[in-house]
Every structure is written in structure tokens, then in C-alpha cells.
Amino acid sequence: MQDKAGPHVAGVSVKKCGTTSSSVGDPVTPSRGEFGDPVYKEIALANGHINRMDRDELRLKLAELKLDTRGVKDVLRKRLKSHCKKQKLLVAAAEGGVTDTYYDFICVVDFEATCEESNPPGFLHEIIEFPIVLVNTRTAHIVDTFQEYVKPELNPKLSDFCTQLTGITQEMVDQADTFGNVLRRVVTWLQERELGTKYRYALLTDGSWDMSKFLNMQCKISRIKHPKFAKKWINIRKSYGNFYKVPRTQTKLSSMLEKLGLQYEGRPHCGLDDSRNIARIATRMLQDGCQLRVNEHLHAGEVRNVPSSAPVEVSPPPHNPRSRD
């Protein structure tokens, strides 16, 4: 769901991808390292040199290293710094020094929900598309996807506005399953990929709305408890703003793509396409050296920040939803 400033809308039909999840090694518990390690002095010296480079010099150096040369100057500078840091840390890790791996996989989720042209007060948005894009953090590649449409129960008829805006038809949701059953298949999909058991993982969203509003509201409508594995997530807007040092006003999906020299691929307001584009931003950030980590969680129905000084949080093993009754 693109550029959320509040509740948005549903997606159009996109066929499910059948890519098989790639294998990675056993999960590694991250070692944060001490900043007194000599490698950090080397990194600081390299950063000072990079800070003095102009845009043409940055692009030339990135080209020499066969790295992406797209993006504004601040992005190019961050990319080169992160590459140098990563290389030095890899050497240090090989020698028994520091490393900085948090998760094996990241699940990008971007729900689509029912809407009206002018949503009346108290309008209950129901999830009608549940997409997941799986990112292997070691390779920084998309390795698998999941997508199902969901039948709304409170307001089963889609508005003309929703249909015209997104292309999703009444027939699509009429033929879909209820949210509770779709969520069970999501859990099975995650379990089949051994997420939370063999592999460390976290959810990632474009803002706070998906987990704190849409999923929270949908679970109440469906009379099931909010799943524990979806109570903490990476808000990529916060991660992007902090990593590239840009204001929050420049962290909408379209702005993030533009700053990275990327263009939106697919159909806007399709949940799976939105998720793929968010995943493209996440993979670029991983390639640029960003340590994506959980930065928000749900507590008593409210969004709370997870400070960077807190221990790294991972999503727990997924389990089938429990009834509220």
C-alpha cells in the first residue's frame, strides 16, 4: 500500500510467484563487537576520505568497485562508505573479529484494504489482499512471494471507487477465502520455510499502518488474537530516514525509490507490487550496508518505538491464530 498517510486501498490481481526459497547457512547470533576494535579506526579514516569526494569522484570509485552509481550524492557517499565498512568487517570477522548480521530473512508485507472515496467516521477497513515478499538478507535478493485475496465480511461489496482505483473486482473477493483461513495458510507458508525455527526473521512494512491499524482491526473483526509474530516489525521509513539522513517527509515509497535512482515497477496500489518495490528498497539498503532491524512493536494496541540501543528483536515462530472467544 503506497505512501500511507492513513488507511488506503486494495490491489489488483497478480499471479503468485512460484520461486523456491534459497538456502542459507544455520542462523548466526550477531556479535556486535567493540568500537575500540582497530577496524573502526580504519573505517573512520576511510570515511573521512570519502567525505571529501565530490559526486563525480564518488561515481568513478563506485564504478571501479562495480557498484551501482545511481542516486543522489548523499546516497552515493553512503553506499561507498558502507561498502568499505563491509569489506573491512568481513576481513575482521574472518580473523575472529566483529560481524553485524541480524536476520536470515525479511518478510515484506503491504496489505490492501477496503475503502470509500471519502471514508466516513468509524469506517472499518477490512484486509482484502495479503501479500508477502521474502528477502534473503545474505544475498540481498527476493527469493519467494505469497499472495492471497481475502473476502470482506462486514462490508462484502466493494465500493465503485475501490474498484476503479485499484482494478480489483467484486468477483476476486467473492471467490476469496475469509481472513482467518488465509492467515492460517500464511502461517503454514512461513513454517514451511522454517522461519522462526531454523532461520531468524523479521517483518518489514512501509510505515506503521499495516500491523498497528489494518491487521489489528482485522483481527478484531475476525474475532482472533493479533498473531505474536506480527507484533514487531521494521518500519522501513524510519530505517531509510536514519540511514540516509533524510527527513521523514522524504520517506514515502515514491520518494525513497527516486532517491535511490529506481522507478516503481508494476501497478501502484497492488499489494504484491507495492511489497516488491518496498523489498527493492530494502535490498538496496542491505547492499549499501544498512543493518535493518526491528524498530517498532505493538503494545496494548499502540505503536511503540524500539530504540537502537535495545537488544535486537526477532519475530517468534509463527502459530495459527487463536480465537478471542
Side-chain angles (χ1 to χ4, degrees):
M1 186 160 298
Q2 282 200 89
D3 301 350
K4 301 181 187 71
H8 278 251
V9 294
V12 298
S13 177
V14 176
K15 292 183 179 179
K16 181 178 176 182
C17 173
T19 308
T20 302
S21 173
S22 64
S23 299
V24 297
D26 288 337
V28 178
T29 301
S31 170
R32 301 301 301 275
E34 296 293 336
F35 284 99
D37 191 293
V39 69
Y40 288 104
K41 183 176 181 180
E42 296 179 27
I43 292 171
L45 291 172
N47 286 346
H49 175 69
I50 293 170
N51 284 337
R52 294 187 291 271
M53 298 172 72
D54 60 29
R55 188 170 186 271
D56 289 338
E57 291 172 326
L58 289 167
R59 293 188 66 193
L60 181 61
K61 187 62 179 178
L62 288 166
E64 288 178 7
L65 296 169
K66 293 182 170 50
L67 297 175
D68 200 324
T69 60
R70 292 175 293 179
V72 297
K73 182 179 178 181
D74 288 343
V75 167
L76 298 179
R77 182 185 293 120
K78 189 70 176 182
R79 184 171 300 148
L80 184 54
K81 284 183 178 181
S82 296
H83 173 80
C84 293
K85 177 183 177 183
K86 184 177 181 180
Q87 295 305 308
K88 291 182 183 299
L89 288 177
L90 284 173
V91 172
E95 296 172 351
V98 296
T99 184
D100 55 1
T101 301
Y102 290 149
Y103 311 109
D104 299 302
F105 293 96
I106 287 174
C107 295
V108 181
V109 178
D110 196 78
F111 297 123
E112 301 302 328
T114 56
C115 67
E116 302 284 348
E117 185 170 7
S118 179
N119 294 320
F123 182 81
L124 297 178
H125 299 271
E126 297 178 77
I127 292 173
I128 54 177
E129 183 186 358
F130 200 137
I132 304 174
V133 172
L134 188 65
V135 173
N136 183 323
T137 62
R138 308 297 178 86
T139 63
H141 288 145
I142 294 172
V143 293
D144 208 348
T145 63
F146 173 95
Q147 182 199 38
E148 279 205 37
Y149 291 99
V150 183
K151 179 184 295 183
E153 299 178 67
L154 292 182
N155 297 293
K157 181 172 174 55
L158 299 181
S159 68
D160 291 339
F161 171 77
C162 185
T163 298
Q164 292 168 7
L165 180 67
T166 67
I168 192 168
T169 67
Q170 187 66 43
E171 184 180 9
M172 291 178 190
V173 293
D174 286 345
Q175 294 178 352
D177 210 341
T178 60
F179 179 78
N181 290 332
V182 171
L183 181 56
R184 288 181 181 88
R185 287 194 285 276
V186 167
V187 169
T188 298
W189 189 87
L190 296 171
Q191 290 173 338
E192 288 173 348
R193 284 144 188 81
E194 300 181 279
L195 301 181
T197 51
K198 183 176 181 180
Y199 301 118
R200 294 162 61 91
Y201 80 109
L203 303 186
L204 182 147
T205 63
D206 178 27
S208 304
W209 281 96
D210 292 276
M211 300 302 158
S212 67
K213 299 295 182 184
F214 294 122
L215 183 58
N216 205 30
M217 183 183 296
Q218 183 64 61
C219 287
K220 291 177 181 178
I221 293 171
S222 300
R223 302 298 303 164
I224 57 179
K225 293 186 176 180
H226 193 115
K228 290 185 177 179
F229 70 86
K231 285 192 172 183
K232 58 184 71 173
W233 60 89
I234 301 166
N235 180 341
I236 196 169
R237 295 192 181 199
K238 288 185 177 179
S239 301
Y240 181 95
N242 292 334
F243 185 66
Y244 293 116
K245 307 301 181 188
V246 299
R248 194 60 54 84
T249 55
Q250 297 179 21
T251 59
K252 294 190 295 185
L253 178 54
S254 56
S255 298
M256 290 189 287
L257 288 168
E258 182 181 359
K259 288 285 186 181
L260 293 173
L262 304 174
Q263 293 184 337
Y264 188 94
E265 295 180 354
R267 191 193 196 288
H269 298 302
C270 163
L272 186 57
D273 283 354
D274 282 354
S275 297
R276 282 194 176 114
N277 282 279
I278 296 164
R280 291 172 64 216
I281 295 169
T283 57
R284 177 59 58 80
M285 292 175 68
L286 289 169
Q287 292 165 354
D288 283 352
C290 180
Q291 299 175 33
L292 291 169
R293 55 176 288 173
V294 168
N295 53 20
E296 289 184 344
H297 70 102
L298 198 64
H299 178 75
E302 299 293 330
V303 179
R304 301 285 179 85
N305 291 323
V306 177
S308 58
S309 58
V312 175
E313 297 192 32
V314 298
S315 294
H319 296 291
N320 280 325
R322 295 162 53 193
S323 173
R324 287 177 178 265
D325 300 326

